[in-house]
Amino acid sequence: MAEVNVWAWWLNALAGTIGPIHDGDPQQGYYRTRFKDKPWEPVAIWFEDGKWHAMRGDRQVDASDIWTWCCRNPITYEAYNKAIEGAGWDDEPEAPAIGHNLPTDPFEALQVEFAAEREQAEAFMKKPITTQAEADRAAIWSKRLSTIAKKATDLHKVEKQPHLDAGRNVDNKWRELKEEPDAISKKLKRHMDAFLQEEAQKERERQAAARAEADRIQREADAARVAVEKAAAKNDNDAAAVAAQNNAIAEAERLAQLAAQAERDAQARNASAGRTGAKVSLRTFVFAEITDFDALLMALKDRAEIKEVVETLANRAARSGVELAGMAIRSEQRAA
């Protein structure tokens, strides 16, 4: 009979051909397995003295039980020995040296864990990746760091949730008293708009008439002032002339006072309602009315906010396979 190579299945698996796999039918060789999010453990399976034997790390286990958990992860004999001796795996980063005395506070413990991982990862990234084992190590490091980030996200959510719930309860308690009175207040102001706008129109008409009257009085005052100047230039000592000059001065002063009062009356008065502390008046609100969207878009095209919005929409179109004018669909491969 031809001699059976008991190592054939394992050797083929190392070469990339795995199978067939049957539950309860272990194959002699070296493998590795791990619990979720835990380090890899070396596994050895062999047939001796008429029965199967298996070791998981330094623990003896049932070969049939461990088989389906490790069969898809064959390793070389050298890798097995290195792992058994505590030297780790070429394709996996070393576990950070943080010991077992972690702080009891989850936040502080995760800070310690992250600090150790970051130090090693940053040192690793100072050199380019040149081997598959280094690339595998980087992938595992990325996973470990993303796991820390997820733990932080979960712990943050747990710690913050009571505050969010309390905040929502406070918001719900006050929402109606905050929003409804404010809404009615704004409706009342809008209800006054037409009346105050009509009063403002009346004020503009009054102001125009007052301005015309102020201009007329000012002309009369100017004419009286000129008359006084002419009378003074004559320097006539006749009693009648002096009396006339005094009358002209008095009239000029009266007209000057009227002109000043008319000027004050011509000033604008804003239409308002209410009393001190509760007064409502017309205010000017400036806003844009878009009359030419394309021209406005061109005027704003260099603004950072516009570029960000356009880039977001362009990326959305590219992911949908839609190539719009002014863009091209590109792709690149990145580690993810």
mmCIF file of all heavy atoms in Angstrom, residues 102-131:
data_model
loop_
_atom_site.group_PDB
_atom_site.id
_atom_site.type_symbol
_atom_site.label_atom_id
_atom_site.label_comp_id
_atom_site.label_asym_id
_atom_site.label_seq_id
_atom_site.Cartn_x
_atom_site.Cartn_y
_atom_site.Cartn_z
ATOM 1 N N LEU A 102 -4.604 48.292 35.109
ATOM 2 C CA LEU A 102 -5.271 49.410 34.460
ATOM 3 C C LEU A 102 -6.165 50.138 35.459
ATOM 4 O O LEU A 102 -6.673 49.533 36.414
ATOM 5 C CB LEU A 102 -6.116 48.917 33.281
ATOM 6 C CG LEU A 102 -5.350 48.490 32.019
ATOM 7 C CD1 LEU A 102 -6.316 47.859 31.018
ATOM 8 C CD2 LEU A 102 -4.645 49.685 31.386
ATOM 9 N N PRO A 103 -6.377 51.434 35.246
ATOM 10 C CA PRO A 103 -7.304 52.159 36.124
ATOM 11 C C PRO A 103 -8.691 51.530 36.079
ATOM 12 O O PRO A 103 -9.104 50.945 35.070
ATOM 13 C CB PRO A 103 -7.307 53.573 35.528
ATOM 14 C CG PRO A 103 -6.046 53.676 34.744
ATOM 15 C CD PRO A 103 -5.772 52.298 34.225
ATOM 16 N N THR A 104 -9.415 51.646 37.174
ATOM 17 C CA THR A 104 -10.775 51.083 37.211
ATOM 18 C C THR A 104 -11.752 51.940 36.420
ATOM 19 O O THR A 104 -12.774 51.438 35.947
ATOM 20 C CB THR A 104 -11.256 50.968 38.666
ATOM 21 O OG1 THR A 104 -11.172 52.267 39.287
ATOM 22 C CG2 THR A 104 -10.394 49.978 39.434
ATOM 23 N N ASP A 105 -11.455 53.230 36.273
ATOM 24 C CA ASP A 105 -12.330 54.109 35.493
ATOM 25 C C ASP A 105 -12.203 53.764 34.007
ATOM 26 O O ASP A 105 -11.085 53.755 33.469
ATOM 27 C CB ASP A 105 -11.944 55.568 35.719
ATOM 28 C CG ASP A 105 -12.816 56.510 34.907
ATOM 29 O OD1 ASP A 105 -13.980 56.707 35.274
ATOM 30 O OD2 ASP A 105 -12.325 57.029 33.880
ATOM 31 N N PRO A 106 -13.312 53.450 33.311
ATOM 32 C CA PRO A 106 -13.228 53.040 31.900
ATOM 33 C C PRO A 106 -12.562 54.091 31.012
ATOM 34 O O PRO A 106 -11.808 53.745 30.096
ATOM 35 C CB PRO A 106 -14.695 52.830 31.501
ATOM 36 C CG PRO A 106 -15.410 52.589 32.783
ATOM 37 C CD PRO A 106 -14.688 53.399 33.813
ATOM 38 N N PHE A 107 -12.818 55.363 31.271
ATOM 39 C CA PHE A 107 -12.232 56.427 30.465
ATOM 40 C C PHE A 107 -10.711 56.443 30.622
ATOM 41 O O PHE A 107 -9.964 56.476 29.631
ATOM 42 C CB PHE A 107 -12.823 57.779 30.877
ATOM 43 C CG PHE A 107 -12.157 58.957 30.213
ATOM 44 C CD1 PHE A 107 -12.430 59.276 28.899
ATOM 45 C CD2 PHE A 107 -11.253 59.743 30.920
ATOM 46 C CE1 PHE A 107 -11.813 60.357 28.285
ATOM 47 C CE2 PHE A 107 -10.638 60.828 30.317
ATOM 48 C CZ PHE A 107 -10.918 61.137 28.996
ATOM 49 N N GLU A 108 -10.244 56.387 31.861
ATOM 50 C CA GLU A 108 -8.811 56.412 32.112
ATOM 51 C C GLU A 108 -8.138 55.143 31.583
ATOM 52 O O GLU A 108 -7.017 55.201 31.043
ATOM 53 C CB GLU A 108 -8.550 56.574 33.606
ATOM 54 C CG GLU A 108 -9.012 57.924 34.163
ATOM 55 C CD GLU A 108 -8.792 58.036 35.656
ATOM 56 O OE1 GLU A 108 -8.298 57.061 36.260
ATOM 57 O OE2 GLU A 108 -9.119 59.102 36.225
ATOM 58 N N ALA A 109 -8.794 53.999 31.715
ATOM 59 C CA ALA A 109 -8.235 52.748 31.203
ATOM 60 C C ALA A 109 -8.077 52.794 29.692
ATOM 61 O O ALA A 109 -7.055 52.360 29.137
ATOM 62 C CB ALA A 109 -9.138 51.576 31.608
ATOM 63 N N LEU A 110 -9.085 53.342 29.000
ATOM 64 C CA LEU A 110 -9.022 53.428 27.545
ATOM 65 C C LEU A 110 -7.960 54.438 27.110
ATOM 66 O O LEU A 110 -7.311 54.268 26.074
ATOM 67 C CB LEU A 110 -10.393 53.826 26.988
ATOM 68 C CG LEU A 110 -10.673 53.422 25.536
ATOM 69 C CD1 LEU A 110 -10.523 51.920 25.348
ATOM 70 C CD2 LEU A 110 -12.074 53.858 25.126
ATOM 71 N N GLN A 111 -7.779 55.494 27.896
ATOM 72 C CA GLN A 111 -6.709 56.451 27.605
ATOM 73 C C GLN A 111 -5.341 55.771 27.659
ATOM 74 O O GLN A 111 -4.489 55.996 26.790
ATOM 75 C CB GLN A 111 -6.740 57.610 28.611
ATOM 76 C CG GLN A 111 -7.709 58.724 28.261
ATOM 77 C CD GLN A 111 -7.508 59.926 29.169
ATOM 78 O OE1 GLN A 111 -7.338 59.783 30.364
ATOM 79 N NE2 GLN A 111 -7.528 61.112 28.583
ATOM 80 N N VAL A 112 -5.127 54.948 28.673
ATOM 81 C CA VAL A 112 -3.859 54.230 28.805
ATOM 82 C C VAL A 112 -3.661 53.288 27.620
ATOM 83 O O VAL A 112 -2.583 53.209 27.020
ATOM 84 C CB VAL A 112 -3.822 53.447 30.134
ATOM 85 C CG1 VAL A 112 -2.590 52.542 30.194
ATOM 86 C CG2 VAL A 112 -3.822 54.418 31.314
ATOM 87 N N GLU A 113 -4.726 52.549 27.271
ATOM 88 C CA GLU A 113 -4.648 51.607 26.150
ATOM 89 C C GLU A 113 -4.332 52.331 24.846
ATOM 90 O O GLU A 113 -3.469 51.906 24.071
ATOM 91 C CB GLU A 113 -5.969 50.843 26.028
ATOM 92 C CG GLU A 113 -5.952 49.773 24.941
ATOM 93 C CD GLU A 113 -7.268 49.013 24.859
ATOM 94 O OE1 GLU A 113 -8.124 49.174 25.769
ATOM 95 O OE2 GLU A 113 -7.446 48.267 23.880
ATOM 96 N N PHE A 114 -4.994 53.451 24.624
ATOM 97 C CA PHE A 114 -4.769 54.202 23.389
ATOM 98 C C PHE A 114 -3.357 54.785 23.339
ATOM 99 O O PHE A 114 -2.703 54.776 22.292
ATOM 100 C CB PHE A 114 -5.801 55.321 23.249
ATOM 101 C CG PHE A 114 -5.512 56.268 22.114
ATOM 102 C CD1 PHE A 114 -5.351 55.795 20.816
ATOM 103 C CD2 PHE A 114 -5.367 57.626 22.337
ATOM 104 C CE1 PHE A 114 -5.069 56.653 19.773
ATOM 105 C CE2 PHE A 114 -5.083 58.492 21.309
ATOM 106 C CZ PHE A 114 -4.931 58.008 20.022
ATOM 107 N N ALA A 115 -2.892 55.314 24.458
ATOM 108 C CA ALA A 115 -1.554 55.907 24.488
ATOM 109 C C ALA A 115 -0.498 54.880 24.096
ATOM 110 O O ALA A 115 0.433 55.175 23.330
ATOM 111 C CB ALA A 115 -1.266 56.476 25.874
ATOM 112 N N ALA A 116 -0.643 53.643 24.587
ATOM 113 C CA ALA A 116 0.316 52.592 24.257
ATOM 114 C C ALA A 116 0.237 52.215 22.783
ATOM 115 O O ALA A 116 1.266 52.063 22.104
ATOM 116 C CB ALA A 116 0.057 51.367 25.138
ATOM 117 N N GLU A 117 -0.978 52.062 22.261
ATOM 118 C CA GLU A 117 -1.155 51.722 20.846
ATOM 119 C C GLU A 117 -0.632 52.839 19.950
ATOM 120 O O GLU A 117 0.021 52.584 18.931
ATOM 121 C CB GLU A 117 -2.635 51.457 20.542
ATOM 122 C CG GLU A 117 -3.202 50.218 21.210
ATOM 123 C CD GLU A 117 -2.791 48.928 20.519
ATOM 124 O OE1 GLU A 117 -1.894 48.955 19.653
ATOM 125 O OE2 GLU A 117 -3.373 47.876 20.860
ATOM 126 N N ARG A 118 -0.919 54.079 20.297
ATOM 127 C CA ARG A 118 -0.494 55.207 19.468
ATOM 128 C C ARG A 118 1.028 55.283 19.386
ATOM 129 O O ARG A 118 1.590 55.516 18.307
ATOM 130 C CB ARG A 118 -1.049 56.515 20.030
ATOM 131 C CG ARG A 118 -0.580 57.749 19.268
ATOM 132 C CD ARG A 118 -1.293 58.991 19.725
ATOM 133 N NE ARG A 118 -1.092 59.233 21.146
ATOM 134 C CZ ARG A 118 -1.715 60.220 21.808
ATOM 135 N NH1 ARG A 118 -2.561 61.008 21.187
ATOM 136 N NH2 ARG A 118 -1.480 60.384 23.092
ATOM 137 N N GLU A 119 1.692 55.083 20.508
ATOM 138 C CA GLU A 119 3.156 55.164 20.517
ATOM 139 C C GLU A 119 3.760 54.151 19.555
ATOM 140 O O GLU A 119 4.661 54.470 18.764
ATOM 141 C CB GLU A 119 3.666 54.930 21.940
ATOM 142 C CG GLU A 119 5.176 55.034 22.067
ATOM 143 C CD GLU A 119 5.652 54.816 23.489
ATOM 144 O OE1 GLU A 119 4.809 54.565 24.379
ATOM 145 O OE2 GLU A 119 6.880 54.888 23.716
ATOM 146 N N GLN A 120 3.260 52.908 19.607
ATOM 147 C CA GLN A 120 3.801 51.867 18.726
ATOM 148 C C GLN A 120 3.423 52.115 17.264
ATOM 149 O O GLN A 120 4.254 51.940 16.364
ATOM 150 C CB GLN A 120 3.285 50.503 19.174
ATOM 151 C CG GLN A 120 3.821 50.055 20.523
ATOM 152 C CD GLN A 120 3.447 48.622 20.825
ATOM 153 O OE1 GLN A 120 4.058 47.688 20.308
ATOM 154 N NE2 GLN A 120 2.428 48.435 21.643
ATOM 155 N N ALA A 121 2.189 52.515 17.027
ATOM 156 C CA ALA A 121 1.734 52.732 15.644
ATOM 157 C C ALA A 121 2.494 53.881 14.991
ATOM 158 O O ALA A 121 2.886 53.798 13.824
ATOM 159 C CB ALA A 121 0.231 53.011 15.627
ATOM 160 N N GLU A 122 2.715 54.958 15.729
ATOM 161 C CA GLU A 122 3.436 56.098 15.163
ATOM 162 C C GLU A 122 4.890 55.737 14.873
ATOM 163 O O GLU A 122 5.462 56.182 13.874
ATOM 164 C CB GLU A 122 3.335 57.298 16.107
ATOM 165 C CG GLU A 122 1.937 57.912 16.134
ATOM 166 C CD GLU A 122 1.825 59.079 17.088
ATOM 167 O OE1 GLU A 122 2.745 59.250 17.932
ATOM 168 O OE2 GLU A 122 0.827 59.823 17.004
ATOM 169 N N ALA A 123 5.497 54.927 15.735
ATOM 170 C CA ALA A 123 6.862 54.462 15.470
ATOM 171 C C ALA A 123 6.883 53.576 14.230
ATOM 172 O O ALA A 123 7.792 53.668 13.390
ATOM 173 C CB ALA A 123 7.398 53.702 16.681
ATOM 174 N N PHE A 124 5.862 52.716 14.069
ATOM 175 C CA PHE A 124 5.780 51.826 12.912
ATOM 176 C C PHE A 124 5.648 52.626 11.614
ATOM 177 O O PHE A 124 6.242 52.273 10.590
ATOM 178 C CB PHE A 124 4.581 50.885 13.094
ATOM 179 C CG PHE A 124 4.269 50.031 11.903
ATOM 180 C CD1 PHE A 124 4.999 48.880 11.643
ATOM 181 C CD2 PHE A 124 3.241 50.371 11.033
ATOM 182 C CE1 PHE A 124 4.713 48.095 10.541
ATOM 183 C CE2 PHE A 124 2.949 49.592 9.929
ATOM 184 C CZ PHE A 124 3.680 48.440 9.686
ATOM 185 N N MET A 125 4.897 53.719 11.636
ATOM 186 C CA MET A 125 4.630 54.489 10.419
ATOM 187 C C MET A 125 5.794 55.378 9.997
ATOM 188 O O MET A 125 5.717 56.055 8.975
ATOM 189 C CB MET A 125 3.368 55.344 10.607
ATOM 190 C CG MET A 125 2.086 54.534 10.607
ATOM 191 S SD MET A 125 0.591 55.556 10.594
ATOM 192 C CE MET A 125 0.627 56.248 12.260
ATOM 193 N N LYS A 126 6.876 55.387 10.763
ATOM 194 C CA LYS A 126 8.044 56.172 10.364
ATOM 195 C C LYS A 126 8.810 55.516 9.218
ATOM 196 O O LYS A 126 9.649 56.146 8.584
ATOM 197 C CB LYS A 126 8.963 56.372 11.568
ATOM 198 C CG LYS A 126 8.385 57.318 12.615
ATOM 199 C CD LYS A 126 9.323 57.493 13.789
ATOM 200 C CE LYS A 126 8.720 58.466 14.812
ATOM 201 N NZ LYS A 126 9.601 58.637 15.998
ATOM 202 N N LYS A 127 8.507 54.235 8.949
ATOM 203 C CA LYS A 127 9.155 53.523 7.846
ATOM 204 C C LYS A 127 8.084 53.024 6.871
ATOM 205 O O LYS A 127 6.980 52.687 7.301
ATOM 206 C CB LYS A 127 9.965 52.338 8.378
ATOM 207 C CG LYS A 127 11.137 52.726 9.273
ATOM 208 C CD LYS A 127 12.007 51.518 9.594
ATOM 209 C CE LYS A 127 11.234 50.452 10.351
ATOM 210 N NZ LYS A 127 12.092 49.293 10.723
ATOM 211 N N PRO A 128 8.393 52.967 5.595
ATOM 212 C CA PRO A 128 7.401 52.471 4.625
ATOM 213 C C PRO A 128 7.167 50.972 4.801
ATOM 214 O O PRO A 128 8.024 50.239 5.315
ATOM 215 C CB PRO A 128 8.049 52.775 3.269
ATOM 216 C CG PRO A 128 9.519 52.818 3.546
ATOM 217 C CD PRO A 128 9.653 53.365 4.932
ATOM 218 N N ILE A 129 6.000 50.524 4.367
ATOM 219 C CA ILE A 129 5.668 49.100 4.396
ATOM 220 C C ILE A 129 6.309 48.428 3.190
ATOM 221 O O ILE A 129 6.112 48.849 2.044
ATOM 222 C CB ILE A 129 4.143 48.904 4.392
ATOM 223 C CG1 ILE A 129 3.550 49.403 5.714
ATOM 224 C CG2 ILE A 129 3.779 47.439 4.165
ATOM 225 C CD1 ILE A 129 2.044 49.381 5.750
ATOM 226 N N THR A 130 7.061 47.360 3.445
ATOM 227 C CA THR A 130 7.769 46.691 2.345
ATOM 228 C C THR A 130 7.457 45.207 2.253
ATOM 229 O O THR A 130 7.861 44.557 1.288
ATOM 230 C CB THR A 130 9.288 46.860 2.519
ATOM 231 O OG1 THR A 130 9.682 46.332 3.797
ATOM 232 C CG2 THR A 130 9.689 48.336 2.440
ATOM 233 N N THR A 131 6.753 44.649 3.252
ATOM 234 C CA THR A 131 6.453 43.211 3.221
ATOM 235 C C THR A 131 4.974 42.994 3.494
ATOM 236 O O THR A 131 4.287 43.857 4.056
ATOM 237 C CB THR A 131 7.265 42.446 4.281
ATOM 238 O OG1 THR A 131 6.828 42.851 5.589
ATOM 239 C CG2 THR A 131 8.762 42.719 4.134
#
